[in-house]
């Protein structure tokens, strides 16, 4: 069973995004227009906070919607409600690149595993793929995507590269999940099962299983290695309201989810049952993430707390 530690008032407003790229680096993004980099405590000590802030990156107008970091934690892509995406060099605390594709063309963001590309789901239903490298010195256009993928669907609320980098998954407002070849941009197939918006996606480390979390109060496990006709879908039921976030454990045995019911649930994926429910948040839970070793996880939400 997991034991929890709380860091209250971590931001001045709701926290909507979180990632934990390295054991010593955790990153959060808030509606208070800032991104904060934290150092988690190595051990749980009762009279000390579980994390300490090491840097603050301001200037995300109207608030942070989504963030994603490179696997080494060196770079972090941040999308905000003003439609811009900023790529931060976390170590240098400088902006490497600013992308302004238009007011509806950037929502959820995801780093390619190799760190050279960023995929962004848009309100228009497209997926825009941008280069991480700054093009201004070569007279290029930072705002122009390398390519645009059109799954021919609704507002894309979530997007995620598979760990192998060959696939992109997108979750839309109408509940449709698309599986896309990242190299060609071709739609491989649509994954069915949800009837409301898909808010979060998370891949297993072997790129064979995709977890999808939805406003229909369910989490679905998709076996993307199985033929489409074989189905390969299992459902996790337990949340009493929208499921806003899900993260697959690096160990593969479990996942964690957070929802509008203010609950964080840990699931045994083999048994497809919740094995722990954490009721530390006082408002809806927008994000969950494991550390790379899978020994801890973090949850964030509208109450402004970071709970590990």
């Amino acid at each position: 069973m997991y034991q929890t530690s709380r860091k209250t008032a971590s931001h001045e407003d709701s926290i909507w995004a979180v990632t934990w790229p390295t054991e010593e680096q955790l990153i959060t993004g808030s509606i208070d227009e800032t991104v904060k980099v934290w150092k988690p405590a190595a051990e749980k000590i009762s009279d000390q906070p579980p994390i300490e802030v090491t840097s603050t990156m301001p200037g995300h107008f109207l608030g942070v919607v989504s963030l994603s970091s490179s696997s080494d934690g060196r770079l972090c892509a941040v999308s905000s409600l003003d439609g811009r995406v900023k790529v931060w060099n976390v170590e240098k605390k400088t902006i490497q690149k600013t992308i302004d594709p238009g007011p509806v063309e950037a929502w959820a963001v995801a780093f390619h595993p190799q760190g050279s590309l960023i995929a962004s789901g848009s309100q228009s239903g497209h997926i825009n793929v941008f280069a991480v490298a700054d093009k201004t010195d070569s007279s290029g256009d930072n705002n122009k995507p390398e390519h645009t993928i059109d799954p021919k669907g609704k507002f894309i609320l979530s997007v995620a590269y598979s760990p192998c980098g060959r696939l992109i998954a997108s979750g839309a407002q109408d509940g449709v999940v698309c599986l896309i070849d990242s190299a060609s941009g071709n739609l491989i197939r649509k994954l069915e099962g949800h009837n409301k918006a898909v808010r979060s996606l998370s891949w297993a480390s072997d790129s064979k299983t995709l977890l999808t979390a939805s406003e229909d109060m369910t989490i679905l496990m998709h076996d993307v290695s199985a033929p489409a006709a074989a189905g390969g879908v299992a459902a996790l039921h337990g949340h009493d309201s929208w499921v806003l976030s899900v993260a697959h454990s690096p160990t593969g045995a479990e996942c964690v989810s957070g929802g509008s019911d203010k609950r964080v649930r840990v699931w045994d994926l083999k048994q497809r049952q919740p094995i722990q429910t954490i009721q530390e948040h006082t408002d809806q839970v927008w994000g969950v993430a494991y550390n790379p070793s899978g020994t801890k996880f973090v949850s964030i939400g509208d109450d402004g707390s970071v709970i590990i």
Side-chain angles (χ1 to χ4, degrees), residues 266-285:
V266 183
W267 303 82
D268 182 311
L269 292 178
K270 185 176 181 180
Q271 299 296 324
R272 301 172 189 172
Q273 295 292 329
I275 54 176
Q276 186 176 1
T277 300
I278 298 168
Q279 303 181 45
E280 295 285 338
H281 285 282
T282 59
D283 211 330
Q284 53 191 2
V285 182

Side-chain angles (χ1 to χ4, degrees), residues 246-260:
V246 66
H248 203 297
S249 169
T251 66
E254 65 182 38
C255 74
V256 62
S257 62
S260 290

Side-chain angles (χ1 to χ4, degrees), residues 83-85 99-106 120 128 130 142-145:
R84 293 181 174 89
V85 177
I99 305 166
D100 188 1
V104 299
E105 291 304 312
S120 174
N128 296 309
F130 299 96
N142 273 338
N143 301 325
K144 184 178 180 181

